């Protein structure tokens, strides 16, 4: 358990991971806002259409509704005539079902007419309602006016249902008409949209993670030139950029990377004898040599101290990194011959080795050790020549 937690903690500490999480949160929030607003508008429009059809259906039905339907002693012929009219209105208005309810002697809600009963030859008695339909009919009896419709799940699928009072005068309600419109296709489309929006959000998150990481790494990356990441004297990447990129390397696949470390020889002597302006020119010449030696390799050069430089090499073998270090020495010698410069550099190199290095900082340490060994050899040879 410790390792997964440590892995998650280390990844969450990465700035690019935090940027990605923030971007994902903004994408999810934006997508959900758009979805809920658009689906709310669409549902409102659809509800208005259903309400208009329900209102028209009720007004057509109510104008010819026989009051005898609410009596317990209604004749079979009157019942069948009313059922026939109910079925005709249903067909003409393109609704799914029509119901008529009344309160029975037990104060329960009784369904006295149902278009599903069309074709039957006898009166259906004592069919009492329960659940949501009962509550909506009971509410109409209490308030004596039609409330907005609602989507209800029935044994026939999703329906849009609205209930209207049949008034006996004033606020007295003698019955309730229920209009039911098939909404199963709409509900299926809504379910599909929910699934699609979830997939779209997931895809947007994956795309945003990829692009936010690339943009962030471009901003903090050695290839991006800006004042906060660029050394003003040499135009190379500075210590700030070096630190950020080292952190990114250690948080990623370190085995892909190698490093070359460089230290100028004799800068202190030049500063002491010829002044710091000459020392600055010495450093600039060194930066020019490094650029020339590593041109076209894709390697990133940093000035990390007064006379210290580093190069990160990606996807190169130890042999390739050694060749680059030798190219730096060769370019330095070439510059001496062409310009008469006395500039020399001590160079070290290393490739990340999981058997030797716990992190990339230890790889840099091995490269520094080689560089300092070469620097000692340089000064030993120089002192021997001076004797």
């Amino acid at each position: 358990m410790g390792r997964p937690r440590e892995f998650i903690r280390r990844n969450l500490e990465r700035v690019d991971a935090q940027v990605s999480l923030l971007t994902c949160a903004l994408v999810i929030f934006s997508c959900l806002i758009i979805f809920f607003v658009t689906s709310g508008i669409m549902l409102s429009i659809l509800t208005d259409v259903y309400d208009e059809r329900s209102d028209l259906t009720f007004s057509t039905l109510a104008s010819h509704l026989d009051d005898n339907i609410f009596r317990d002693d209604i004749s079979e012929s009157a019942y069948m005539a009313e059922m026939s009219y109910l079925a005709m209105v249903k067909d003409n208005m393109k609704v799914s079902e029509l119901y008529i309810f009344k309160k029975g002697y037990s104060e329960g809600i009784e369904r006295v007419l149902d278009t599903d009963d069309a074709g039957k030859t006898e009166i259906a008695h004592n069919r009492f309602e329960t659940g949501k339909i009962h509550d909506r009919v009971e509410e109409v009896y209490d308030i004596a006016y039609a409330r907005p419709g609602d989507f209800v799940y029935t044994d026939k699928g999703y329906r849009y249902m609205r209930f209207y009072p049949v008034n006996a005068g004033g606020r007295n309600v003698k019955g309730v008409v229920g209009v039911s419109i098939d909404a199963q296709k709409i509900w299926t489309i809504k379910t599909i949209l929910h699934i699609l929006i979830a997939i779209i959000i997931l895809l947007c998150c994956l795309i945003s993670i990829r692009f936010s990481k690339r943009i962030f790494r471009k901003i903090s990356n050695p290839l991006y030139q800006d004042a906060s990441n660029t050394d003003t004297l040499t135009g190379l990447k500075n210590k700030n950029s070096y630190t950020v990129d080292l952190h990114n390397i250690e948080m990623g696949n370190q085995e892909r990377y190698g490093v070359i470390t460089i230290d100028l020889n004799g800068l202190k002597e030049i500063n002491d004898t010829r002044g710091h302006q000459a020392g600055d020119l010495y450093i600039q010449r060194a930066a020019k040599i490094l650029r020339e030696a590593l041109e076209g390799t894709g390697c990133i050069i940093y000035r990390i101290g007064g006379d210290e430089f580093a190069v990160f090499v990606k996807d190169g073998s130890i042999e390739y990194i050694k060749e680059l270090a030798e190219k730096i020495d060769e370019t330095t010698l070439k510059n001496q011959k062409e310009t008469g410069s006395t500039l020399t550099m001590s160079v070290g190199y290393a490739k990340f080795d999981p058997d030797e290095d716990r992190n990339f900082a230890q790889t840099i340490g091995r490269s520094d050790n080689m560089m300092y060994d070469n620097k000692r050899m340089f000064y030993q040879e120089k002192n021997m020549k001076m004797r």
Side-chain angles (χ1 to χ4, degrees):
M1 289 293 293
R3 287 186 178 180
R5 285 182 181 176
E6 179 65 17
F7 175 79
I8 293 171
R9 185 188 65 78
R10 289 181 63 189
N11 275 276
L12 289 177
E13 287 177 352
R14 293 172 55 177
V15 181
D16 60 338
Q18 295 170 9
V19 170
S20 298
L21 287 175
L22 178 61
T23 306
C24 276
L26 290 174
V27 167
I28 293 172
F29 178 76
S30 301
C31 288
L32 289 177
I33 289 294
I34 293 171
F35 172 72
F36 284 122
V37 169
T38 54
S39 63
I41 293 173
M42 290 177 64
L43 196 61
S44 176
I45 294 172
L46 185 65
T47 300
D48 289 343
V49 172
Y50 284 166
D51 280 342
E52 185 177 346
R53 195 193 304 179
S54 299
D55 291 343
L56 185 58
T57 301
F58 173 69
S59 61
T60 303
L61 182 64
S63 61
H64 295 82
L65 196 63
D66 188 346
D67 287 347
N68 289 324
I69 198 67
F70 300 108
R71 298 178 53 176
D72 292 327
D73 58 349
I74 184 173
S75 66
E76 189 171 317
S77 60
Y79 176 88
M80 298 309 299
E82 201 64 26
M83 177 64 75
S84 177
Y85 181 70
L86 201 70
M88 181 190 70
V89 172
K90 169 199 159 185
D91 292 338
N92 289 339
M93 301 308 299
K94 307 297 182 186
V95 297
S96 300
E97 293 91 23
L98 282 174
Y99 310 97
I100 295 180
F101 305 92
K102 72 171 185 177
K103 277 194 175 182
Y105 291 113
S106 63
E107 293 301 311
I109 301 299
E110 183 181 351
R111 190 190 320 177
V112 293
L113 276 184
D114 182 348
T115 50
D116 285 347
D117 293 336
K120 294 182 180 180
T121 58
E122 57 183 19
I123 302 174
H125 288 290
N126 301 325
R127 295 181 301 175
F128 290 97
E129 295 294 333
T130 59
K132 196 166 187 176
I133 292 178
H134 170 277
D135 296 339
R136 292 302 299 270
V137 174
E138 189 75 56
E139 183 182 36
V140 173
Y141 265 98
D142 292 338
I143 62 178
Y145 64 87
R147 292 290 300 272
D150 194 12
F151 289 93
V152 178
Y153 182 75
T154 70
D155 56 353
K156 299 180 180 117
Y158 279 97
R159 295 287 189 267
Y160 183 80
M161 302 188 75
R162 193 167 184 192
F163 300 89
Y164 298 85
V166 179
N167 294 320
R171 291 180 55 86
N172 296 321
V173 178
K174 59 184 176 183
V176 174
V177 173
V179 181
S180 173
I181 301 174
D182 186 1
Q184 184 59 46
K185 289 183 180 179
I186 299 299
W187 213 260
T188 301
I189 292 172
K190 184 180 178 182
T191 302
I192 293 172
L193 284 176
H194 284 168
I195 296 171
L196 285 176
I197 198 68
I199 295 173
I200 290 170
I201 288 175
L202 178 61
L203 290 175
C204 288
C205 285
L206 293 175
I207 293 170
S208 68
I209 288 172
R210 184 173 182 82
F211 279 94
S212 62
K213 281 189 174 182
R214 291 184 67 178
I215 292 170
F216 172 78
R217 286 175 179 174
K218 185 175 182 181
I219 292 173
S220 63
N221 194 294
L223 296 177
Y224 189 84
Q225 298 293 327
D226 62 60
S228 65
N229 289 323
T230 304
D231 177 56
T232 55
L233 181 62
T234 63
L236 301 176
K237 302 310 293 181
N238 62 12
K239 181 65 177 290
N240 177 61
S241 181
Y242 170 84
T243 303
V244 172
D245 291 331
L246 173 59
H247 179 73
N248 287 337
I249 289 172
E250 290 189 329
M251 292 296 102
N253 187 358
Q254 303 177 89
E255 295 185 22
R256 299 179 64 184
Y257 288 88
V259 64
I260 302 172
T261 50
I262 304 105
D263 194 275
L264 304 187
N265 299 323
L267 178 62
K268 184 178 184 305
E269 183 181 350
I270 291 176
N271 283 334
D272 292 344
T273 59
R274 297 165 56 187
H276 286 281
Q277 186 174 1
D280 288 346
L281 292 174
Y282 193 76
I283 293 169
Q284 288 174 337
R285 183 178 294 275
K288 183 179 179 182
I289 290 171
L290 291 174
R291 282 200 188 93
E292 182 180 345
L294 300 173
E295 185 178 6
T297 63
C299 297
I300 311 305
I301 311 169
Y302 307 83
R303 183 185 176 211
I304 58 176
D307 59 352
E308 298 176 33
F309 298 83
V311 179
F312 287 157
V313 184
K314 186 177 180 180
D315 294 330
S317 64
I318 186 63
E319 291 79 12
Y320 176 68
I321 298 171
K322 180 181 178 182
E323 289 176 8
L324 294 180
E326 292 172 347
K327 183 71 180 296
I328 292 172
D329 289 334
E330 291 170 5
T331 308
T332 304
L333 289 172
K334 177 185 173 184
N335 179 264
Q336 290 174 358
K337 293 176 182 178
E338 291 178 351
T339 65
S341 170
T342 59
L343 187 148
T344 59
M345 307 180 193
S346 296
V347 180
Y349 60 88
K351 165 85 172 168
F352 182 85
D353 186 344
D355 294 331
E356 295 188 59
D357 306 322
R358 289 199 308 271
N359 51 47
F360 197 67
Q362 290 192 335
T363 308
I364 297 172
R366 290 194 290 112
S367 179
D368 282 343
N369 290 337
M370 181 188 292
M371 179 191 72
Y372 290 129
D373 288 341
N374 290 334
K375 197 174 192 69
R376 279 191 293 270
M377 290 174 59
F378 169 80
Y379 281 110
Q380 285 174 3
E381 291 176 3
K382 182 179 179 180
N383 290 335
M384 289 178 63
K385 290 177 181 179
M386 292 176 63
R387 289 177 184 175

